[in-house]
Amino acid sequence: MSPNTMPVNTETLFIDGSKSGSAKNDGTKKTPLLYKVLLILALMTVIGGLLTGVMTYMNVGYSDTFFIDWSRALLAAYAIMPIGFLLMGLVTKFINHKLPNTKAYKRNLITGVVMACIMESMLAFSTASKTIGFANQTAFLNGWLEGFLVALPVGLTLMVIVSMTIKPKIEAFLKS
């Protein structure tokens, strides 16, 4: 074999231990774990960035420190959002169990609304804690409530769109 040619039987080893040359029983290749992680990180960045940006703006306004405050709130959101993804799975299972005869799009809509409220309250808490702090409890609670209420329409819109259109595709991608 010459030094410039690759061996014909090369395989890539993925993080989960599978090889690129191997196929599932149905004949399709398994999606690499790295792609799945990157998809989740991208979703977290877009959704978390948008929501914490609105909440940070409501808590501190647009000032010289806005982007620093926003980045701190977004970093705190990265710690909270995986909990949201786990809760979304639990809420989905719960709603599917309680409403088995309801059409899938209605169950996804209910899941989206419930998850928007849960995630908004968690992100409003983390954003208010990073931008206002806990020294003045009244200011903290007002910042949490204002951030929650102002970002709630944005969150509801995002979660309904995600639940109705993107979530089924993401679930299929993550299962592949």
Side-chain angles (χ1 to χ4, degrees):
M1 178 185 322
S2 67
N4 292 334
T5 60
M6 287 186 61
V8 176
N9 192 12
T10 59
E11 293 181 339
T12 304
L13 184 62
F14 294 120
I15 295 172
D16 64 357
S18 64
K19 296 179 181 178
S20 65
S22 63
K24 288 183 175 180
N25 292 339
D26 62 359
T28 60
K29 291 186 179 182
K30 188 171 177 138
T31 303
L33 179 62
L34 177 64
Y35 293 168
K36 295 175 184 181
V37 170
L38 290 175
L39 174 69
I40 297 299
L41 287 175
L43 282 172
M44 287 172 54
T45 302
V46 171
I47 293 171
L50 182 61
L51 294 176
T52 56
V54 169
M55 292 174 187
T56 301
Y57 179 77
M58 292 311 300
N59 287 335
V60 298
Y62 187 74
S63 65
D64 293 339
T65 62
F66 173 78
F67 289 103
I68 294 169
D69 293 335
W70 184 14
S71 63
R72 288 181 186 154
L74 182 57
L75 287 174
Y78 278 130
I80 291 174
M81 285 190 281
I83 297 168
F85 281 111
L86 293 175
L87 283 174
M88 186 172 225
L90 293 174
V91 168
T92 300
K93 283 184 181 182
F94 177 77
I95 290 173
N96 289 345
H97 176 71
K98 291 295 182 184
L99 303 170
N101 298 326
T102 307
K103 293 184 178 184
Y105 76 92
K106 288 182 181 178
R107 289 192 311 258
N108 285 337
L109 181 63
I110 293 168
T111 301
V113 170
V114 170
M115 284 307 302
C117 293
I118 291 170
M119 287 304 297
E120 289 297 315
S121 65
M122 289 171 35
L123 290 175
F125 181 87
S126 71
T127 301
S129 70
K130 289 296 178 185
T131 57
I132 297 171
F134 297 107
N136 183 343
Q137 289 182 348
T138 304
F140 172 79
L141 289 175
N142 285 337
W144 173 83
L145 184 61
E146 192 171 319
F148 174 76
L149 292 176
V150 170
L152 188 60
V154 176
L156 282 170
T157 303
L158 275 173
M159 289 308 278
V160 167
I161 290 170
V162 168
S163 297
M164 299 295 287
T165 60
I166 300 170
K167 180 179 166 254
K169 294 174 184 172
I170 291 172
E171 287 175 340
F173 179 76
L174 293 176
K175 288 179 182 177
S176 68

